[in-house]
Amino acid sequence: MTTTPLAPITSGAPARPGLTPAGLVTVLLGAALPIIDFFIVNVALPTIDADLHASTATLELVVAAYGIAYAVLLVVGGRLGDSFGRRRLFFWGLWLFTLTSLACGIAPTATTLVIARAAQGAASALLLPQVLSIIQATTSGEERSRALGLFGATGGLSTVVGQLLGGGLVAADLFGTGWRPIFLVNVPIGLVVLVMARRLPESRAHNPLGVDRLGTLLLATTLLSLLVPLMEGRALGWPVWSIVLLALSPFSAAALVHVERRLERLGGTPLLPPSVLRLPSVRRGLMVAIPFFGAFGSFMFVFAMTLQEGLHFGPLGAGGALTPLAVAYFTVSMLSSRLVTRYGQKVVAVGGAITALGMVTLLCTTLAAWPHVTILDLAPSMVAIGVGNALAMTTLFRIVLSHVPTDLAGVGSGVMTTNQQTSLALGVATLGSLYAALSGSIGTRNAFALVIGVVAVLATIVAITARRLPDPRG
């Protein structure tokens, strides 16, 4: 359930010819592939562990490496598309995504897979920002509204497809390849979409923003120096390099703040503009987004591991158990716009409360029925978690960005999505590591219960803090 940043509304006049129905299908397929990949990977983690003998810390990196690379390069990808052509960057991003999917599928070791996943995240950062930019630049009026609605539906539908496809492919063990088809399936689909992409209309921004190279480097340094030691340090006995990296992270973050402020004073457009971060709507939105996405990232990782290693569901069973969540998310996300129009920012608060209720229900269900938990036992809590996430996740971006000036819409959404991906990775690094540390000492059942309890607390914090979000209705 990832969100792609909105393209700036002023990002260029509609191209001639406009976006055809076939062109819209093309860009939506391009958007669906990385989202599907997110859910497929979670379902396949235990199988990857068994095949490549990866530690839990390395499995965390398999998930987080994608998100870190995507978070760092997301804004860069959008700006490169504005400068050099959105169709061109869509094409090259999709090429790279297809090639890196192949690299993931044939990875001989866990380390190689982590590197390939990081490259796949970088490819997604080139590909995904172009989708909404192409829609914005080549459509208008009712045609644009329909295209954006279909884009939202694509995100929700991709979550459903990811669960079912991931579980089915791993369980099928095609030709004895185990987990590898979850990545290799992207190759033929990617090649077909590449052929279709040749007929997309080209567009560029009239006044493209430059790339903040130093800011991008410092953001990457900050995230890597913080997240990699958190994931790997405990498993390796906290070697010297992990302590050094952790000590470096606050200095790197301080340097990033200094560089971004200086660039903005000089009239440039930083990667993370301080003026945008100071907007009350964005500042409050980030306070809600950090615990929300951190909780969701850790939940998806820990739940997938527990289903298969603790409850022995198998990949197909795990996919089936998560499907009610995905279906509920897809269904409610289609209604969220009307709910926001009527109830404003209260939708996010209610979504956080329902998510917390779903987590508590999940906790009680698993503790009571362990180890004989069934998919039907889990279904009520999965539906509640899906509904809560749909209400909160799909409206948080809209509420925050509704108070960002139009000419900064693309920059603001880039800030929010960078925060989203960073928080997802941080959730996996912290609560995923906590789960790994505790499962060996107090058992999988109790470790899972503790982490889900923390996630429920974070969802409650979201419900409380979301009440201070601005009202998008004015």
Side-chain angles (χ1 to χ4, degrees):
M1 299 177 191
T2 55
T3 306
T4 309
L6 294 172
I9 294 175
T10 57
S11 59
R16 296 292 184 267
L19 191 65
T20 64
L24 180 59
V25 170
T26 301
V27 295
L28 293 181
L29 283 173
L33 285 174
I35 299 173
I36 291 172
D37 235 45
F38 174 82
F39 290 96
I40 283 182
V41 168
N42 277 283
V43 173
L45 287 173
T47 309
I48 294 173
D49 180 18
D51 183 32
L52 299 182
H53 309 291
S55 65
T56 302
T58 304
L59 293 178
E60 292 171 14
L61 281 175
V62 170
V63 175
Y66 179 97
I68 294 170
Y70 182 71
V72 169
L73 297 175
L74 172 73
V75 176
V76 174
R79 294 184 185 180
L80 288 175
D82 289 345
S83 298
F84 298 104
R86 290 133 184 169
R87 181 187 68 181
R88 177 178 296 178
L89 264 293
F90 179 91
F91 189 86
W92 284 108
L94 186 56
W95 252 121
L96 290 173
F97 184 84
T98 304
L99 289 175
T100 53
S101 294
L102 176 63
C104 289
I106 63 175
T109 66
T111 300
T112 307
L113 179 59
V114 170
I115 295 171
R117 281 285 288 168
Q120 193 181 40
S124 294
L126 296 180
L127 168 64
L128 283 172
Q130 316 313 324
V131 175
L132 281 174
S133 293
I134 289 172
I135 290 174
Q136 289 278 16
T138 59
T139 61
S140 60
E142 184 61 29
E143 182 185 9
R144 177 181 292 173
S145 297
R146 286 196 302 270
L148 292 176
L150 288 171
F151 174 80
T154 298
L157 186 60
S158 297
T159 66
V160 181
V161 173
Q163 306 297 348
L164 296 175
L165 184 62
L169 285 175
V170 177
D173 192 20
L174 299 172
F175 308 107
T177 53
W179 55 271
R180 298 180 186 277
I182 69 169
F183 297 112
L184 296 177
V185 71
N186 293 333
V187 177
I189 298 174
L191 292 175
V192 170
V193 179
L194 280 167
V195 173
M196 298 168 65
R198 297 172 65 88
R199 303 191 66 179
L200 287 174
E202 184 60 283
S203 63
R204 293 179 175 83
H206 292 311
N207 298 297
L209 301 173
V211 174
D212 179 8
R213 296 181 180 85
L214 183 56
T216 301
L217 177 62
L218 286 172
L219 176 61
T221 302
T222 301
L223 293 180
L224 290 172
S225 61
L226 174 64
L227 297 177
V228 172
L230 287 178
M231 295 179 198
E232 295 290 322
R234 181 200 61 82
L236 299 176
W238 295 106
V240 174
W241 65 263
S242 65
I243 303 299
V244 171
L245 282 181
L246 278 176
L248 172 65
S249 61
F251 294 99
S252 178
L256 174 63
V257 172
H258 173 74
V259 166
E260 299 298 86
R261 287 176 175 172
R262 181 175 182 275
L263 179 58
E264 192 166 57
R265 283 198 305 268
L266 295 175
T269 304
L271 181 74
L272 303 173
S275 61
V276 173
L277 293 172
R278 284 194 296 267
L279 290 172
S281 61
V282 175
R283 187 175 66 250
R284 294 174 188 174
L286 294 180
M287 294 301 293
V288 176
I290 290 172
F292 177 79
F293 290 116
F296 181 73
S298 59
F299 164 73
M300 290 300 295
F301 178 84
V302 170
F303 191 53
M305 295 294 292
T306 302
L307 283 176
Q308 297 188 59
E309 294 194 338
L311 296 172
H312 308 291
F313 270 40
L316 189 59
L322 284 164
T323 297
L325 183 156
V327 172
Y329 177 88
F330 171 64
T331 304
V332 175
S333 65
M334 297 297 97
L335 306 173
S336 61
S337 293
R338 278 179 281 178
L339 293 172
V340 172
T341 300
R342 184 169 181 178
Y343 299 107
Q345 79 276 24
K346 295 177 183 177
V347 173
V348 178
V350 171
I354 294 175
T355 300
L357 177 62
M359 292 297 173
V360 172
T361 304
L362 173 63
L363 182 60
C364 295
T365 299
T366 51
L367 287 178
W370 191 284
H372 305 296
V373 182
T374 67
I375 291 177
L376 289 178
D377 293 333
L378 296 172
S381 58
M382 292 296 98
V383 170
I385 293 169
V387 170
N389 274 273
L391 291 174
M393 191 182 302
T394 59
T395 55
L396 182 58
F397 274 72
R398 174 180 170 179
I399 289 173
V400 173
L401 295 176
S402 66
H403 289 255
V404 174
T406 298
D407 59 341
L408 293 175
V411 175
S413 58
V415 168
M416 284 296 294
T417 307
T418 299
N419 171 270
Q420 176 198 35
Q421 295 299 320
T422 301
S423 299
L424 287 168
L426 184 61
V428 173
T430 53
L431 293 184
S433 295
L434 177 64
Y435 171 80
L438 294 177
S439 58
S441 57
I442 64 175
T444 300
R445 174 181 180 270
N446 293 331
F448 174 73
L450 180 61
V451 171
I452 294 302
V454 174
V455 171
V457 171
L458 291 174
T460 303
I461 292 173
V462 169
I464 296 170
T465 56
R467 297 169 62 187
R468 300 188 65 236
L469 286 172
D471 193 325
R473 297 171 296 179

